[in-house]
Amino acid sequence: MSKKILLSGVKPTGRPHIGNYFGAMKQFVDMQEGHESYVFIADLHALTTVQNAGEMEQGIIDIVLDYLAIGLDPEKVVLFKQSDVPQVAELAWIFNCLTTMPYLMRAHAFKDAEAKNKEINVGLFDYPILMAADILIQDTDVVPVGQDQRQHVEIARDIVEKFNRIFNVDTFKLPNAMILEGMATVPGTDGQKMSKSYRNTIPLFSTDEEIKKLVMSIVTDSSGDTPANVRAIHELFRDKEYLDNLYAEKKGKYKDLKEALSNDVIAFISPLRTRRHELENNKDMIMEILKKGGKIARDRAEAKMEVVRKAIGVKLY
Ligand code: ADP
Ligand code: TRP
């Protein structure tokens, strides 16, 4: 039986954190053997906020290093950047023409931005459509992501049904989100969802000093014996039995518990950091990986677009 197709992406918008890792990136590594995998850097999505060429270039290179450091194997996974597959922008336009404004106005990301009175560019409004194009153009079966992306995969599913119905074809396959229980929403140091935009992250490649400082700064709820936020993050690194014992033994001793967590985070991050340092000077290798992956992803996308162009009636020869 042929392997299922996995696809996911992360935006090059700053340092990834343990929420990104446990919620999404780790799955790409764990699933690379059993799936035909496509992992990409969502640079066109990042353009909704990153509007500086130097920052964008560095962000892309950084994410490739991050992926390699956590164990993604470019021999097993097609690693590419989204902008090397311009066909997704073409497909997004086609989907735009099938999608209504009120439908997209119900998307969480748009609603949140609007509630915060942010300036919303058309790219941000259209974000879920480009993401649907990323997913559907590669005939994706599974999309490993964190909880905050569930709605985007639902939107992609709606588009499959709509496109296939309107043009009376079976061009697109229904993708499924893969969201791991217990990792769906990793909390940040302030108890909200850990997110680059909330300044509450523990970056995946932080130094020991940074980790100590960040863990010690975790906001604790003083009403109980167990600091819930500390324990929630700790659960990513240790099993329940170990933590039950530790948290019983150190009941009420928040500082000790934070120190224990800090040590566990350091033990986990330090080998990743070392591996990343070793890779840092291999810029040529990174370019080769991206070029090779980009060609594979683009060739597949172009073949799919030929079917799409035919389905909508613009492919005359
Ligand atoms: P951020 O919110 O920090 O900007 P991204 O939007 O770049 O993160 O998300 C990249 C991937 O990481 C997505 O699949 C997303 O669902 C996942 N992710 C982000 N934050 C978390 C979190 N706190 N817990 C679990 N998964 C997360
Ligand atoms: N929206 C995703 C995020 O913020 C990134 C992304 C873009 C993506 N296109 C995708 C994820 C396609 C999975 C599949 O993290």
Side-chain angles (χ1 to χ4, degrees), residues 225-242:
D225 286 329
T226 300
N229 294 337
V230 179
R231 165 109 194 200
I233 298 177
H234 221 155
E235 275 168 12
L236 302 168
F237 301 93
R238 294 279 190 178
D239 63 36
K240 185 174 179 310
E241 200 188 323
Y242 177 92

Side-chain angles (χ1 to χ4, degrees), residues 7-11 40 42 45 82 127 130-132 134-135 143-145 148-149 152-153:
L7 173 133
S8 194
V10 175
K11 281 176 292 174
F40 70 97
H45 275 112
Q82 188 181 28
Y127 190 108
L130 182 60
M131 181 158 161
D134 293 328
I135 297 171
V143 187
V145 280
D148 58 350
Q149 298 297 316
H152 290 151
V153 181

Side-chain angles (χ1 to χ4, degrees), residues 85-157:
V85 185
Q87 287 83 352
V88 291
E90 180 187 357
L91 184 57
W93 175 259
I94 295 170
F95 291 162
N96 276 337
C97 298
L98 311 181
T99 308
T100 67
M101 300 258 299
Y103 175 83
L104 275 191
M105 283 162 92
R106 291 200 290 272
H108 299 316
F110 169 73
K111 285 207 295 199
D112 290 352
E114 210 186 25
K116 289 180 186 152
N117 263 326
K118 286 195 184 154
E119 194 173 80
I120 300 168
N121 56 46
V122 177
L124 184 69
F125 182 63
D126 206 30
Y127 190 108
I129 297 293
L130 182 60
M131 181 158 161
D134 293 328
I135 297 171
L136 303 181
I137 210 164
Q138 301 293 351
D139 284 331
T140 306
D141 295 298
V142 264
V143 187
V145 280
Q147 174 67 26
D148 58 350
Q149 298 297 316
R150 183 188 291 279
Q151 191 190 37
H152 290 151
V153 181
E154 287 301 324
I155 292 175
R157 292 171 61 91

Side-chain angles (χ1 to χ4, degrees), residues 240-308:
K240 185 174 179 310
E241 200 188 323
Y242 177 92
L243 292 178
D244 283 348
N245 288 332
L246 179 72
Y247 281 70
E249 189 191 322
K250 303 274 183 198
K251 212 167 157 182
K253 295 184 177 156
Y254 289 8
K255 188 156 174 284
D256 290 2
L257 289 168
K258 284 183 173 177
E259 261 162 22
L261 172 60
S262 171
N263 290 337
D264 285 340
V265 179
I266 289 173
F268 172 76
I269 285 184
S270 102
L272 295 183
R273 206 174 51 217
T274 309
R275 172 129 180 79
R276 199 181 186 287
H277 278 312
E278 287 163 7
L279 295 163
E280 261 163 17
N281 295 322
N282 288 325
K283 218 172 158 182
D284 291 350
M285 175 194 68
I286 292 172
M287 299 307 154
E288 286 315 309
I289 291 172
L290 286 179
K291 274 191 214 163
K292 191 170 149 223
K295 174 154 178 28
I296 297 172
R298 188 166 55 248
D299 287 351
R300 284 175 53 90
E302 179 53 24
K304 187 78 191 177
M305 283 313 293
E306 282 292 270
V307 179
V308 174

Side-chain angles (χ1 to χ4, degrees), residues 13-250:
T13 48
R15 299 167 76 190
H17 50 76
I18 59 172
N20 300 137
Y21 177 76
F22 287 104
M25 295 166 82
K26 180 173 185 293
Q27 271 66 267
F28 312 164
V29 180
D30 292 346
M31 295 171 79
Q32 63 185 342
E33 297 285 348
H35 288 75
E36 180 180 333
S37 298
Y38 299 86
V39 173
F40 70 97
I41 298 133
D43 50 359
L44 296 178
H45 275 112
L47 192 59
T48 59
T49 55
V50 181
Q51 301 182 344
N52 172 293
E55 201 184 315
M56 181 71 90
E57 278 180 20
Q58 193 56 49
I60 294 169
I61 292 169
D62 278 339
I63 295 271
V64 178
L65 284 170
D66 300 338
Y67 276 139
L68 298 178
I70 64 168
L72 209 69
D73 178 352
E75 296 297 320
K76 295 190 182 127
V77 171
V78 177
L79 187 55
F80 65 103
K81 66 182 168 69
Q82 188 181 28
S83 55
D84 281 342
V85 185
Q87 287 83 352
V88 291
E90 180 187 357
L91 184 57
W93 175 259
I94 295 170
F95 291 162
N96 276 337
C97 298
L98 311 181
T99 308
T100 67
M101 300 258 299
Y103 175 83
L104 275 191
M105 283 162 92
R106 291 200 290 272
H108 299 316
F110 169 73
K111 285 207 295 199
D112 290 352
E114 210 186 25
K116 289 180 186 152
N117 263 326
K118 286 195 184 154
E119 194 173 80
I120 300 168
N121 56 46
V122 177
L124 184 69
F125 182 63
D126 206 30
Y127 190 108
I129 297 293
L130 182 60
M131 181 158 161
D134 293 328
I135 297 171
L136 303 181
I137 210 164
Q138 301 293 351
D139 284 331
T140 306
D141 295 298
V142 264
V143 187
V145 280
Q147 174 67 26
D148 58 350
Q149 298 297 316
R150 183 188 291 279
Q151 191 190 37
H152 290 151
V153 181
E154 287 301 324
I155 292 175
R157 292 171 61 91
D158 285 349
I159 291 176
V160 169
E161 276 166 357
K162 201 159 186 189
F163 185 97
N164 288 353
R165 177 169 46 77
I166 290 177
F167 296 104
N168 196 19
V169 286
D170 59 359
T171 306
F172 292 112
K173 203 157 63 167
L174 272 180
N176 285 299
M178 207 199 80
I179 299 172
L180 284 193
E181 217 185 306
M183 313 280 175
T185 308
V186 172
T189 51
D190 60 356
Q192 292 189 79
K193 174 194 116 112
M194 186 176 286
S195 171
K196 281 168 255 171
S197 15
Y198 302 157
R199 298 173 185 280
N200 63 356
T201 71
I202 301 178
L204 191 52
F205 299 97
S206 348
T207 61
D208 293 357
E209 291 66 39
E210 263 182 298
I211 296 169
K212 272 185 214 150
K213 206 166 146 228
L214 289 168
V215 171
M216 289 303 166
S217 79
I218 294 176
V219 177
T220 47
D221 169 0
S222 54
S223 64
D225 286 329
T226 300
N229 294 337
V230 179
R231 165 109 194 200
I233 298 177
H234 221 155
E235 275 168 12
L236 302 168
F237 301 93
R238 294 279 190 178
D239 63 36
K240 185 174 179 310
E241 200 188 323
Y242 177 92
L243 292 178
D244 283 348
N245 288 332
L246 179 72
Y247 281 70
E249 189 191 322
K250 303 274 183 198

